[in-house]
Every structure is written in structure tokens, then in C-alpha cells.
């Protein structure tokens, strides 16, 4: 049975992480025909995030937690999580997933199903039939999300891929993730690293599948994405496009 590790960065997510473990690990994992694990990468949270996950891990053998390390930023959380998933958990595939319920746990099963039927890379897409962004978003935010994604699709010459900025993705380790130089991703401290990571994964994958994702609004706190993150993301896309 294939082992799939969901790598979930967390920083001060105490209000979400307990419920996430209940929804994802206790309710959704048993529905999936694979050996599912959750790896939380904590960025030295100042609340009880680490404590909550550590307590959950005592009664669940498929829940794990590591600390991010000295380098901060979302990219480094995933880099360290991917490395741990490969070396310490012997993962066959890894998934990227948020801890704040913007990626609803119920969408994990169809992502894994696509992988189990031969996909090397699975993308949770908001811009294909069945996918969506929150209706309550203001028009400007919807426009920025759609236009930004369209810009990156054009720059990278990937018109067949509908969502190049999604953070909900599954990557096969053998032949795909193992070929990516994780230590040298562009902008590893920012969201922008996701564009570089996706570009390399697409390059290494023989079969890519997009699965609908109904992207949800955060239930707690505010989004950490801002104008600096957006500029860095466009910068990475342009550099990759030129290359």
C-alpha cells in the first residue's frame, strides 16, 4: 500500500489544528485506500500548536510533528517537511496542504485517487468545472486571484494547466520530487517558491491531473498573503518564463 504524507506548515494555528486533525486524520484518512500520514511542520509557534499536535500524536501513529528550523518562511517549511517525509517516513508521495481549512479535508480523497490511478502530479484546481473560489471574496480579490493565475499560465507557457498558483498539490516522490533540488528553490521564504516547485514538478511528471477544489475562506485569523508576496510570485514566474 502506498504511503502518502501530507505536509502541513503551521504557525500559531492552535485555533485550527485540533479540529483539522479530527476532520482530516480521524474522519477522512480511513476513507482512503492508502497509508495516510499527517506531518505538521511547526514554525516555533507562540501558542499551543505544537503541544496540541504532540498530544494527538500520542494516540495516533500517523500524526507527526517537526520544527521548521532556523530559516523562516513557507517554502522552508515545505522543504524541511518534504525531506523528512522522504528520509524518515519513506513517503511514496507528498501533499501540500494548509492548516487553516482553506483546503477542505474532503478534497484529499479525490487527490489521492488520481495518484493511485497513475498520476505523477495532482493539482487541486479552483479554475476547472467543480472548483471555485469563495463567493464572499470582494471583486478585487477575485480579480487578482484569477488575473494573477492567468498571467503565470501565459508566462510559463502552460495553457493546459488551469491553476498554477494553488497550494493544494500532490507529488510522486520517485521520478518527480526526488529530481528537484529543494535547497535551491527560488524565494524559499515566500509563497513564490510554489511557482518554482510546480514548474519543476510539471517538468518531471509524465502524467498530470487537475482535480476540482472548492477553495474556502479562512475560519480564523487573516491570510498571510500580501502585495510583497504577489510581486515575488510574478518575479519568479517571469524568470522561469525567460529561462
Amino acid at each position: 500500500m502506498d504511503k502518502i504524507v501530507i505536509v502541513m506548515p503551521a504557525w500559531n494555528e492552535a485555533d485550527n489544528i485540533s479540529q483539522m486533525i479530527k476532520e482530516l486524520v480521524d474522519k477522512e484518512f480511513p476513507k482512503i485506500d492508502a497509508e495516510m500520514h499527517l506531518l505538521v511542520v511547526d514554525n516555533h509557534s507562540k501558542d499551543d500548536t505544537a503541544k496540541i499536535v504532540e498530544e494527538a500524536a500520542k494516540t495516533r501513529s500517523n500524526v507527526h510533528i517537526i520544527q521548521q528550523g532556523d530559516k523562516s518562511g513557507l517554502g522552508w517549511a515545505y522543504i524541511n517537511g518534504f525531506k523528512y517525509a522522504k528520509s524518515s517516513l519513506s513517503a511514496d508521495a507528498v501533499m501540500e496542504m494548509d492548516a487553516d481549512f482553506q483546503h477542505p479535508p474532503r478534497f484529499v480523497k479525490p487527490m489521492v485517487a488520481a495518484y493511485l490511478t497513475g498520476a505523477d502530479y495532482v493539482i487541486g484546481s479552483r479554475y476547472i468545472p467543480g472548483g471555485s473560489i469563495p463567493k464572499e471574496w470582494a471583486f478585487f480579490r477575485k480579480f487578482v486571484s484569477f488575473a494573477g493565475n492567468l498571467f503565470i499560465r501565459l508566462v510559463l507557457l502552460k495553457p493546459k494547466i488551469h491553476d498554477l498558483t494553488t497550494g493544494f498539490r500532490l507529488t510522486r516522490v520517485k521520478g518527480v520530487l526526488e529530481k528537484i533540488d529543494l535547497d535551491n528553490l527560488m524565494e524559499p521564504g515566500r509563497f513564490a517558491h510554489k511557482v518554482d516547485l510546480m514548474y519543476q514538478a510539471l517538468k518531471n511528471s509524465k502524467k498530470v491531473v487537475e482535480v476540482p477544489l472548492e477553495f474556502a475562506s479562512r475560519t480564523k485569523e487573516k491570510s498571510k498573503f500580501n502585495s510583497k508576496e504577489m510581486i515575488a510570485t510574478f518575479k519568479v514566474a517571469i524568470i522561469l518564463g525567460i529561462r
Side-chain angles (χ1 to χ4, degrees), residues 2 92-93 115 118-121 170-174 176-178:
D2 284 39
D92 294 300
Y115 161 77
D120 297 307
Y121 195 53
L170 182 151
T171 310
R172 185 183 299 275
V173 171
K174 186 176 181 181
V176 184
L177 187 66
E178 66 181 7

Side-chain angles (χ1 to χ4, degrees), residues 40-127:
V40 176
V41 185
D42 182 48
N43 188 17
H44 307 286
S45 295
K46 296 179 181 179
D47 61 9
D48 290 333
T49 298
K51 181 179 179 181
I52 292 170
V53 180
E54 289 167 357
E55 286 298 315
K58 291 178 181 179
T59 56
R60 300 168 179 83
S61 60
N62 58 349
V63 174
H64 318 269
I65 183 171
I66 60 173
Q67 286 299 322
Q68 183 167 322
D70 297 331
K71 297 178 179 179
S72 62
L74 184 66
W76 288 114
Y78 277 118
I79 290 167
N80 292 334
F82 289 164
K83 288 181 177 180
Y84 188 88
K86 290 193 301 177
S87 63
S88 298
L89 300 179
S90 302
D92 294 300
V94 297
M95 275 192 69
E96 302 163 58
M97 185 175 178
D98 291 346
D100 56 15
F101 285 93
Q102 290 190 108
H103 303 145
R106 70 181 184 276
F107 290 100
V108 170
K109 183 178 179 180
M111 295 281 286
V112 175
Y115 161 77
L116 293 176
T117 52
D120 297 307
Y121 195 53
V122 187
I123 300 169
S125 178
R126 300 161 293 181
Y127 301 113

Side-chain angles (χ1 to χ4, degrees), residues 79 177-186 196 200:
I79 290 167
L177 187 66
E178 66 181 7
K179 292 183 178 181
I180 298 175
D181 184 359
L182 295 172
D183 290 318
N184 288 296
L185 291 176
M186 286 189 282
D196 190 12
Q200 295 192 57

Side-chain angles (χ1 to χ4, degrees), residues 209-228:
V209 174
E210 285 188 275
V211 173
L213 168 66
E214 294 177 10
F215 193 70
S217 295
R218 283 181 62 92
T219 56
K220 306 285 185 180
E221 303 296 332
K222 294 181 180 180
S223 173
K224 300 177 180 70
F225 195 81
N226 53 44
S227 59
K228 290 183 179 179

Side-chain angles (χ1 to χ4, degrees), residues 8-10 13-22 38 40 48-50 52-53 99 101:
M8 183 176 289
E13 292 285 1
D15 290 340
N16 287 312
I17 201 67
S18 179
Q19 187 62 28
M20 173 59 75
I21 291 172
K22 292 176 183 177
L38 172 64
V40 176
D48 290 333
T49 298
I52 292 170
V53 180
F101 285 93

